[in-house]
Amino acid sequence: MKQVRISIIGFGSVGQGVAEVLMKKQDYLTKMGLDIKVIAISDSKGSFINQNGIDLNSALEQKRQKGTVANVQKTGVEIINEIEHDVVIETTPTNIEDGGVGLENMLASFENGRHVITSNKGPLALKYKDLVDTANLSGCKFKFEATVGGAMPIINLIKGVLAGNDILSIQGILNGTCNYILTRMLEEEASYEQMLAEAQERGIAETDPTYDVEGIDAACKLVILANSVFDMDSTYKDVDSVGITKITPESMLLAYNDGYVTKLIGEVRNGKLSVGPRLVPVGHPLSVGDTLNVASVQTDLAGPVTITGRGAGSIETASAILSDLIAICNNDN
Amino acid sequence: MKQVRISIIGFGSVGQGVAEVLMKKQDYLTKMGLDIKVIAISDSKGSFINQNGIDLNSALEQKRQKGTVANVQKTGVEIINEIEHDVVIETTPTNIEDGGVGLENMLASFENGRHVITSNKGPLALKYKDLVDTANLSGCKFKFEATVGGAMPIINLIKGVLAGNDILSIQGILNGTCNYILTRMLEEEASYEQMLAEAQERGIAETDPTYDVEGIDAACKLVILANSVFDMDSTYKDVDSVGITKITPESMLLAYNDGYVTKLIGEVRNGKLSVGPRLVPVGHPLSVGDTLNVASVQTDLAGPVTITGRGAGSIETASAILSDLIAICNNDN
């Protein structure tokens, strides 16, 4: 049995999802010969440490009841610096201003020789190359499938399953909130404002929806994809971004009657990054609706290959983190 | 540099695609530390052997000019039995009556301790369990991504990228010819017979289209998927199959006006296998048109994940074989 000691830094929706998934899949992991021990969990109030392995059920229970797992006044970065372990699961909230505490956590992990798995887009949308170079120099693995489209496993698809293929371009719907609003605008022939309000009511859009509807979230994911697949060093500020706030149901209906749906498409082609409304033929793999995310890669051998999945959700995102964890434990690429 | 000696048994469209792809990706393979040597190629007329590695360009040229590469009277199975090598790439035509020469080739390969990569559906749609058990007993790897939907990498997606997920059910469009005919019937409001004729003219349907339009091809692929993912031991005769020949454009148009497209869907659910016409909502990931193949897996963690790709084509299918070859060379699962 291979023992792997991990920390969960950031214990919001995704971090809790990771804990739930680790409990749910314990038998499966044991069968694979993996004994995964969570030795520390940090949230914004402090940390909980147990070198023999935290009882995840109690930790989740305590989080639900008290709003925090903290029983010691230690920050995530102190856990990373002070407690011996193998893998840091970094699930603090995205900060795209300066990368925030997530960036600090990742750099501290590499400095201490710990592998990192993250769902946090901020540091990767700002400092991709620095992070990857630092990880490589320190001999650490750095996995971030969960940053791009939650449970739409595009990065691992390209790196693993499509091995041998040159990737020529990437296009995708990388924001579920925008996809929901656009899908509903066409279905109801309703305005952007009306369908945004519906999305907010249903918990699909945030109270301040700027980050989603202006294309910033999609731009961050596009940058991570582009950097990772094409070995670029771009930031989300390099993306030519237009959001969905100016789209009218009348224009969408006209397009639909000609056989097209209107989607917010992120694209990497010839080193250029863009996010903006585009017309997609009905029946095209990118024409999916609801809150789905989708990414289509043009390859030299396999032609176009498209993958669709849920872009968000704590268990869905945790699933991407689990597959990254298994890959690290198995020493896969 | 790791030397890997392979044979290509069956040198029709897919076998030639493999030769082309190996030439095209030589630098890439070298960079990975792999020296892939094709030491024998067989077609229906005989074989061509060069223990130092065949010049693939000349072999392809000779095939084009003379219709065969044969310079010795040896069958594929004789090559497999007599010439020392590591991996057999089995690309003979599908025979669903008794598995034909393909089945013989695979069994001989395992008997001689050679790994097998195949695009040949017949043996797997008839004798899946026997083949897998024989491969396991002899310590050989057995990879067959190319049998299900050419360049739609569903098997490796499930086994690799979705690791940790339980697969609950699978649905998909597994036959590109049927998808083309149905897509065109709706576009042109034309009869099945008219659009079959168009597909035949364009080389998308065979002169005798039975195997495709009656759902047999889709049933074979479904069986391979089901056996491989759910560890079943079914044959294509266990599939409750209905084809597309009875579908009318009038019924398709009615459904479309209600927001549905008519597709030939293969499904595995609760151990039951079926292929038949089903209504799929427009905008659903399975609603793709043209000759595309698509498969959607329902998972316990990631939710539904869908992959779309070209179901046929010699280079596309060879791409799936290449990814299997890389996995075998790298000792991945």
Side-chain angles (χ1 to χ4, degrees):
Chain A
M1 196 72 92
K2 181 175 177 179
Q3 202 185 85
V4 181
R5 295 161 60 84
I6 73 175
S7 64
I8 301 175
I9 309 297
F11 206 51
S13 152
V14 175
Q16 292 173 55
V18 170
E20 276 173 39
V21 162
L22 286 175
M23 285 195 299
K24 191 166 174 177
K25 295 294 170 175
Q26 194 171 5
D27 288 353
Y28 171 86
L29 293 164
T30 307
K31 237 188 259 172
M32 288 187 84
L34 296 175
D35 173 20
I36 310 282
K37 267 198 194 344
V38 179
I39 51 82
I41 298 176
S42 295
D43 59 28
S44 56
K45 304 247 169 55
S47 298
F48 181 51
I49 306 169
N50 184 342
Q51 299 265 13
N52 299 317
I54 291 172
D55 178 317
L56 296 174
N57 218 355
S58 321
L60 284 166
E61 191 53 38
Q62 194 185 320
K63 180 77 183 180
R64 271 190 289 267
Q65 284 182 2
K66 302 191 186 170
T68 177
V69 287
N71 67 355
V72 286
Q73 283 307 311
K74 277 191 189 298
T75 62
V77 79
E78 286 171 326
I79 296 290
I80 295 167
N81 284 328
E82 296 169 20
I83 314 272
E84 197 45 47
H85 60 291
D86 308 301
V87 181
V88 174
I89 297 189
E90 215 292 332
T91 48
T92 62
T94 289
N95 167 337
I96 58 160
E97 297 310 317
D98 60 6
V101 72
L103 181 59
E104 217 181 314
N105 289 335
M106 293 176 197
L107 292 172
S109 302
F110 299 140
E111 220 164 86
N112 286 282
R114 317 203 198 288
H115 308 301
V116 172
I117 301 169
T118 190
S119 59
N120 184 341
K121 291 183 282 288
L124 286 104
L126 288 166
K127 302 264 180 191
Y128 180 85
K129 199 84 179 171
D130 285 358
L131 284 163
V132 168
D133 288 349
T134 310
N136 286 340
L137 271 173
S138 58
C140 294
K141 299 208 174 182
F142 183 32
K143 306 274 283 177
F144 42 83
E145 181 66 75
T147 59
V148 180
M152 176 194 67
I154 178 67
I155 295 178
N156 292 334
L157 180 82
I158 293 174
K159 305 258 170 188
V161 174
L162 294 176
N165 277 275
D166 285 341
I167 307 297
L168 310 174
S169 63
I170 305 175
Q171 283 189 306
I173 297 175
L174 302 173
N175 183 275
T177 306
C178 289
N179 201 15
Y180 178 84
I181 294 172
L182 292 176
T183 303
R184 293 289 295 147
M185 281 173 67
L186 182 62
E187 280 173 0
E188 301 293 326
E189 300 180 28
S191 70
Y192 162 74
E193 288 77 14
Q194 284 174 295
M195 291 302 108
L196 168 63
E198 181 187 275
Q200 286 170 323
E201 234 165 71
R202 297 190 53 186
I204 293 168
E206 316 247 353
T207 316
D208 175 1
T210 314
Y211 183 63
D212 289 323
V213 299
E214 295 295 352
I216 304 168
D217 176 67
C220 286
K221 292 169 180 165
L222 188 71
V223 156
I224 298 173
L225 253 181
N227 287 344
S228 146
V229 173
F230 297 112
D231 202 23
M232 288 169 67
D233 186 19
S234 55
T235 82
Y236 80 94
K237 289 163 193 164
D238 299 324
V239 183
D240 180 12
S241 293
V242 178
I244 63 166
T245 59
K246 301 279 192 298
I247 299 175
T248 65
E250 292 76 22
S251 70
M252 293 184 77
L253 202 61
L254 270 177
Y256 188 70
N257 290 335
D258 276 347
Y260 292 89
V261 284
T262 309
K263 297 290 178 188
L264 187 71
I265 300 288
E267 182 169 31
V268 199
R269 192 183 292 273
N270 304 325
K272 285 235 163 103
L273 299 122
S274 67
V275 169
R278 303 278 183 272
L279 296 183
V280 177
V282 171
H284 186 282
L286 289 176
S287 70
V288 300
D290 200 22
T291 58
L292 287 171
N293 281 25
V294 55
S296 191
V297 291
Q298 186 66 44
T299 68
D300 63 338
L301 301 178
V305 176
T306 307
I307 188 149
T308 311
R310 288 193 186 142
S314 67
I315 297 295
E316 289 84 348
T317 307
S319 159
I321 290 174
L322 177 68
S323 75
D324 279 348
L325 180 61
I326 291 171
I328 284 183
C329 294
N330 288 341
N331 230 345
D332 294 344
N333 283 317
Chain B
M1 195 72 91
K2 180 172 177 181
Q3 203 184 83
V4 181
R5 294 160 61 83
I6 73 175
S7 64
I8 301 174
I9 309 296
F11 207 51
S13 152
V14 176
Q16 291 174 55
V18 171
E20 276 173 41
V21 162
L22 287 175
M23 285 196 298
K24 192 166 174 180
K25 295 293 169 173
Q26 194 171 6
D27 288 353
Y28 171 85
L29 293 164
T30 306
K31 238 188 258 172
M32 288 188 83
L34 297 174
D35 174 20
I36 310 282
K37 267 199 195 341
V38 179
I39 53 81
I41 298 175
S42 294
D43 59 29
S44 56
K45 304 248 171 55
S47 298
F48 181 51
I49 306 168
N50 184 342
Q51 299 265 13
N52 299 318
I54 290 171
D55 178 317
L56 295 172
N57 218 354
S58 320
L60 284 165
E61 191 53 36
Q62 193 185 320
K63 179 78 182 179
R64 271 191 288 268
Q65 284 184 1
K66 302 189 184 171
T68 178
V69 287
N71 67 355
V72 287
Q73 283 306 311
K74 276 190 190 297
T75 62
V77 80
E78 287 170 324
I79 295 291
I80 294 166
N81 284 327
E82 297 169 20
I83 314 271
E84 198 44 49
H85 60 292
D86 309 299
V87 182
V88 174
I89 297 189
E90 215 290 335
T91 48
T92 62
T94 289
N95 168 337
I96 58 160
E97 297 311 317
D98 61 5
V101 72
L103 181 59
E104 219 181 312
N105 289 335
M106 292 176 197
L107 293 172
S109 302
F110 299 139
E111 220 164 86
N112 286 281
R114 317 202 197 291
H115 308 302
V116 172
I117 301 168
T118 190
S119 59
N120 184 341
K121 290 182 282 287
L124 286 105
L126 290 166
K127 303 264 180 191
Y128 180 84
K129 199 84 178 171
D130 286 358
L131 283 163
V132 168
D133 288 349
T134 311
N136 286 340
L137 270 174
S138 58
C140 294
K141 302 211 172 179
F142 183 31
K143 305 273 283 178
F144 42 83
E145 181 66 74
T147 60
V148 181
M152 176 194 67
I154 178 69
I155 296 177
N156 292 333
L157 180 81
I158 293 174
K159 304 257 168 188
V161 174
L162 294 175
N165 277 276
D166 285 341
I167 307 297
L168 309 173
S169 64
I170 305 176
Q171 284 189 306
I173 297 174
L174 302 173
N175 183 274
T177 306
C178 289
N179 201 16
Y180 178 84
I181 294 172
L182 292 176
T183 304
R184 293 289 294 148
M185 281 172 69
L186 182 62
E187 281 172 0
E188 301 293 325
E189 299 179 31
S191 71
Y192 162 74
E193 289 76 15
Q194 284 174 298
M195 291 301 108
L196 168 63
E198 181 187 273
Q200 286 171 321
E201 233 165 72
R202 296 190 52 186
I204 292 167
E206 316 248 351
T207 317
D208 175 0
T210 313
Y211 183 65
D212 289 322
V213 299
E214 295 296 351
I216 305 167
D217 176 67
C220 287
K221 292 170 180 164
L222 188 71
V223 156
I224 298 172
L225 252 181
N227 287 344
S228 145
V229 173
F230 297 111
D231 201 24
M232 289 169 68
D233 186 20
S234 55
T235 80
Y236 79 94
K237 289 162 193 164
D238 299 323
V239 184
D240 181 12
S241 293
V242 177
I244 62 166
T245 60
K246 301 280 191 296
I247 299 174
T248 65
E250 291 76 22
S251 69
M252 294 184 75
L253 203 61
L254 270 176
Y256 188 70
N257 290 336
D258 275 347
Y260 293 90
V261 284
T262 309
K263 298 290 179 188
L264 187 73
I265 299 288
E267 182 169 29
V268 199
R269 191 183 294 273
N270 304 325
K272 286 237 162 102
L273 299 122
S274 66
V275 169
R278 303 278 183 271
L279 296 183
V280 177
V282 171
H284 186 281
L286 289 176
S287 70
V288 300
D290 201 20
T291 59
L292 287 170
N293 281 25
V294 56
S296 191
V297 292
Q298 187 65 43
T299 68
D300 64 338
L301 301 179
V305 176
T306 307
I307 187 150
T308 311
R310 288 194 185 140
S314 66
I315 297 296
E316 288 84 349
T317 308
S319 158
I321 291 174
L322 177 69
S323 75
D324 279 349
L325 180 61
I326 291 171
I328 285 183
C329 294
N330 287 343
N331 230 346
D332 295 342
N333 284 317

